Amino acid sequence: MTYSGAVKVGGPADVHELPGLMISKVAVGPMDNNAYLLRCRATDEQLLIDAANDAGTLLTLIGDDGIASVVTTHRHGDHWQALAEVVAATGARTYAGREDAEGISVPTDVPVDDGDTIRVGRVELTARHLVGHTPGSIALVYDDPHGHPHVFTGDCLFPGGPGRTTRPEEFNSLMDGLETKLFDVLPDETWIYPGHGNDTTIGTERPHLAEWRARGW
């Protein structure tokens, strides 16, 4: 089956099969949050990105193999409603951006800074700290050695623009981070997995950067 990234609450996961990594995407909760289960194909170790809601759905997706870790992309409550239950059931280590950790109800075992590496089996994810949507939002970059990069952006980048900000300085900070840490260094083929809604690519969004700057959101 060809991966589309289009999922709906109550529907099945969509699975993106890469040579070294399997990415399962589900939508959960009243705000249609995306959660992503990453499985290293060499070791079968698993990592969950955003235990957003509906622990039952997430634990069914995780299955009997459990997860080694769960990463929360940012402090907004809709992204960690199921975190306590998932951690209690799996014993997973918790990761979050250092500046957002205090805003998450479940203690963060490993505070994450820009450039830190988070591993799932033999797969390495590089954290990129993006300030603006929240003080400690992180994106996770998988630079696939067998193909193009893949980036989990939380609520920092969506199809059609950056994540929500409330003040001009927050918007400018987020745009600066997106440009210098993602758009300036990643190829057009880079796949983007956001915190809500459909996926996109760097190449699809790149032509609109000036438009986003001009409109201010």
Side-chain angles (χ1 to χ4, degrees):
M1 295 290 291
T2 300
Y3 174 80
S4 70
V7 293
K8 62 181 180 179
V9 175
D14 198 7
V15 181
H16 205 170
E17 297 194 27
L18 309 178
L21 185 69
M22 290 182 62
I23 302 167
S24 299
K25 176 182 181 179
V26 292
V28 292
M31 297 183 69
D32 290 348
N33 286 75
N34 295 326
Y36 299 93
L37 181 68
L38 279 55
R39 185 182 186 98
C40 171
R41 301 188 75 150
T43 68
D44 288 332
E45 185 170 292
Q46 297 190 121
L47 174 151
L48 182 69
I49 298 174
D50 283 348
N53 210 304
D54 194 353
T57 292
L58 298 180
L59 291 170
T60 298
L61 180 69
I62 290 166
D64 293 338
D65 289 340
I67 52 173
S69 47
V70 55
V71 181
T72 302
T73 57
H74 63 289
R75 64 169 56 184
H76 288 159
D78 60 306
H79 288 261
W80 48 260
Q81 291 299 301
L83 183 58
E85 190 170 344
V86 168
V87 169
T90 63
R93 293 185 305 274
T94 55
Y95 293 75
R98 185 177 299 277
E99 290 79 6
D100 270 11
E102 67 179 7
I104 299 168
S105 67
V106 178
T108 296
D109 296 323
V110 185
V112 178
D113 297 309
D114 187 63
D116 284 354
T117 297
I118 300 173
R119 295 178 180 272
V120 51
R122 298 180 187 171
V123 169
E124 292 187 354
L125 306 170
T126 301
R128 291 300 175 206
H129 181 204
L130 299 169
V131 182
H133 183 66
T134 66
S137 289
I138 53 173
L140 301 175
V141 180
Y142 170 49
D143 191 2
D144 186 354
H146 307 286
H148 55 74
H150 298 256
V151 186
F152 303 87
T153 57
D155 284 2
C156 287
L157 179 63
F158 296 101
R164 179 181 58 82
T165 55
T166 56
R167 299 194 300 270
E169 58 268 30
E170 293 173 344
F171 170 78
N172 290 330
S173 174
L174 180 54
M175 284 298 299
D176 289 347
L178 288 171
E179 290 192 32
T180 60
K181 297 179 180 181
L182 298 185
F183 284 94
D184 287 354
V185 295
L186 296 173
D188 284 350
E189 296 79 13
T190 301
W191 199 277
I192 300 297
Y193 305 83
H196 305 262
N198 292 333
D199 300 353
T200 186
T201 65
I202 286 286
T204 299
E205 307 305 326
R206 191 189 303 279
H208 305 289
L209 289 171
E211 170 192 336
W212 302 347
R213 287 275 192 183
R215 76 188 185 191
W217 56 274

